[in-house]
């Protein structure tokens, strides 16, 4: 008979410094789950996967490991992955280890990881029996990142202190991450877009992508921008301002309109198979490396998309998780 989940979602930040400290915090948590017969999913950076496999020994075969650089390359992919794991074991307690916040993340991706950590509390508020441990490298991460971990996790554990409630926990207040994005650079290609100029906008995206040598992912960018523009025209006042530019090996596209997104989990929860509409933001997240949505000081919002430009000579594609059909 299946066990009934009675404990609320347990979201804990583990502050560690060094490999030994990391193992002292993570390995007992994983073994405790295995001993209780709980399914365990560990999603951590590649180097940590190997470290944990070695420390767990034969017990590692009972753990599902995922490389965070792949599962969470776009931080918005992580909540759906946890949701799939939890739902696959419906009615049973489960536990996970997730480490999306690392020094390898750029500033924009780090901000979205921090938004993700906060939104976990909202996404799994009704999922009882799910325990999630999130390691933070106290020895290397900046103080402001560690402070944010204390605000986004109801529970804390530390190498020299037992598990305890976080006095700084701020709840599922995603709004504190809604920082205004800087304006696109002066050299960006731009145009005003309405329903009658969508075809012209798609052509501009293709031209910029080709000039940037985006390669096999040009179609991903065209699709994502088209979804963003279509959403703007339908729900954001009937028009939008499009800007595209390349910097630091990344092609950026931004769509500004007069709309305002009210659902903080939009695009991070898998749409129901029979749902009609509401798939545009989900699709953008699936085909892009990063999607940022930010309010504008003058009202409205900006939707900013990122796709990495393939290195010269590359013939592969680092595309999103699925080849989804367009459906705004």
């Amino acid at each position: 008979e299946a066990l009934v989940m009675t404990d609320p979602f347990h979201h804990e930040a583990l502050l560690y410094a060094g490999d030994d400290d990391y193992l002292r915090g993570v390995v007992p948590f994983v073994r405790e789950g295995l001993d209780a017969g709980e399914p365990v999913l560990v999603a951590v950076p590649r180097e940590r996967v190997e470290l944990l496999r070695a420390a767990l020994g034969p017990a590692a075969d009972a753990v599902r490991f995922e490389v965070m650089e792949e599962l969470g390359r776009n931080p918005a992919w992580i909540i759906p992955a946890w949701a799939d794991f939890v739902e696959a074991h419906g009615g049973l307690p489960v536990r996970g280890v997730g480490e999306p916040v690392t020094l390898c993340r750029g500033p924009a991706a780090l901000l979205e990881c921090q938004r993700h950590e906060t939104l976990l509390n909202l996404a799994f508020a009704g999922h009882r029996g799910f325990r999630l441990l999130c390691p933070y490298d106290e020895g290397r991460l900046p103080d402001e990142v560690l402070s944010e971990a204390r605000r986004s996790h109801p529970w804390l554990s530390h190498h020299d202190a037992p598990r305890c409630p976080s006095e700084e926990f701020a709840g599922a207040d995603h709004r504190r991450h809604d920082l205004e994005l800087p304006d696109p650079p002066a050299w960006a290609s731009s145009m005003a877009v309405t329903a009658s100029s969508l075809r012209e906008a798609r052509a501009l995206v293709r031209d910029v992508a080709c000039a940037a040598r985006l390669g096999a992912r040009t179609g991903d960018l065209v699709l994502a921008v088209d979804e963003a523009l279509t959403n703007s025209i339908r729900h954001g006042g009937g028009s939008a301002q499009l800007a595209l530019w390349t910097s630091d090996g990344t092609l950026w596209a931004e769509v500004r309109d007069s709309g305002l997104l009210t659902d903080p989990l939009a695009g991070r929860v898998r749409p129901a198979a029979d749902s009609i509409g509401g798939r545009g933001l989900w699709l953008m997240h699936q085909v892009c490396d990063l999607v940022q949505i930010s309010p504008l000081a003058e009202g409205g919002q900006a939707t900013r998309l990122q796709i990495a430009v393939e290195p010269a000579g590359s013939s592969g594609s680092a595309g999103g998780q699925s080849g989804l059909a367009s459906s705004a």
Side-chain angles (χ1 to χ4, degrees):
E1 185 174 274
L3 298 175
V4 178
M5 291 187 179
T6 56
D7 295 331
F9 173 50
H10 181 92
H11 189 202
E12 178 181 339
L14 166 67
L15 306 182
Y16 71 91
D19 289 353
D20 291 342
D21 208 12
Y22 184 85
L23 294 175
R24 279 194 294 269
V26 176
V27 170
F29 178 83
V30 171
R31 288 192 181 278
E32 182 182 85
L34 295 177
D35 291 344
E38 298 174 1
V40 179
L41 169 58
V42 174
V44 295
R46 190 181 306 276
E47 62 181 16
R48 295 299 186 191
V49 170
E50 300 309 316
L51 183 70
L52 287 170
R53 280 191 179 277
L56 287 166
D61 293 339
V63 178
R64 175 181 161 192
F65 286 95
E66 296 286 351
V67 176
M68 183 57 78
E69 289 92 336
E70 298 171 4
L71 180 143
R73 180 163 54 84
N74 180 337
W77 296 349
I78 306 173
I79 284 178
W82 286 124
D84 288 346
F85 175 65
V86 170
E87 291 165 10
H89 302 283
L92 291 172
V94 299
R95 67 179 61 201
V97 179
E99 189 173 5
V101 177
T102 68
L103 288 173
C104 295
R105 301 279 192 181
L110 178 59
L111 184 64
E112 289 304 307
C113 284
Q114 292 176 311
R115 186 195 303 268
H116 154 78
E117 289 280 62
T118 295
L119 290 177
L120 279 164
N121 301 300
L122 181 62
F124 294 102
H127 289 69
R128 307 186 73 80
F130 178 26
R131 298 176 64 88
L132 180 59
L133 183 70
C134 303
Y136 280 76
D137 190 344
E138 188 179 38
R140 301 174 66 195
L141 291 170
D143 288 343
E144 58 268 25
V145 173
L146 298 172
S147 295
E148 181 57 34
R150 296 183 179 94
R151 289 191 291 269
S152 60
H153 293 76
W155 292 89
L156 293 176
S157 54
H158 197 266
H159 62 86
D160 59 1
R163 178 183 298 123
C164 63
S166 173
E167 296 181 356
E168 299 175 51
F169 177 56
D173 179 15
H174 68 284
R175 293 296 176 189
R176 70 177 177 277
H177 295 301
D178 286 349
L179 304 177
E180 186 176 350
L181 296 170
D183 289 334
W187 68 83
S189 301
S190 62
M191 65 174 288
V193 184
T194 62
S196 63
S197 56
L198 277 172
R199 184 187 298 272
E200 181 183 351
R202 288 191 291 267
L204 175 62
V205 175
R206 289 192 189 92
D207 289 345
V208 172
C210 289
R213 298 182 180 178
L214 188 59
R217 299 189 68 190
T218 295
D220 288 344
L221 183 66
V222 173
L223 177 59
V225 173
D226 187 58
E227 290 290 344
L229 290 171
T230 301
N231 282 346
S232 293
I233 291 167
R234 290 181 178 175
H235 309 294
S239 64
Q241 184 68 30
L242 170 64
L244 301 118
W245 69 98
T246 304
S247 66
D248 299 325
T250 299
L251 204 161
W252 305 73
E254 182 181 276
V255 174
R256 296 191 174 202
D257 59 41
S258 60
L260 188 63
L261 185 68
T262 58
D263 179 4
L265 290 172
R268 296 172 189 254
V269 176
R270 191 185 307 278
D274 58 352
S275 65
I276 300 175
R279 294 174 176 267
L281 189 53
W282 170 264
L283 190 149
M284 289 178 235
H285 277 299
Q286 299 312 298
V287 301
C288 292
D289 296 334
L290 196 71
V291 178
Q292 294 175 278
I293 298 177
S294 171
L296 298 172
E298 64 272 21
Q301 69 183 17
T303 300
R304 186 169 289 188
L305 314 172
Q306 272 190 48
I307 291 185
V309 177
E310 294 179 9
S314 172
S315 59
S317 172
Q321 291 190 315
S322 59
L324 301 175
S326 175
S327 176

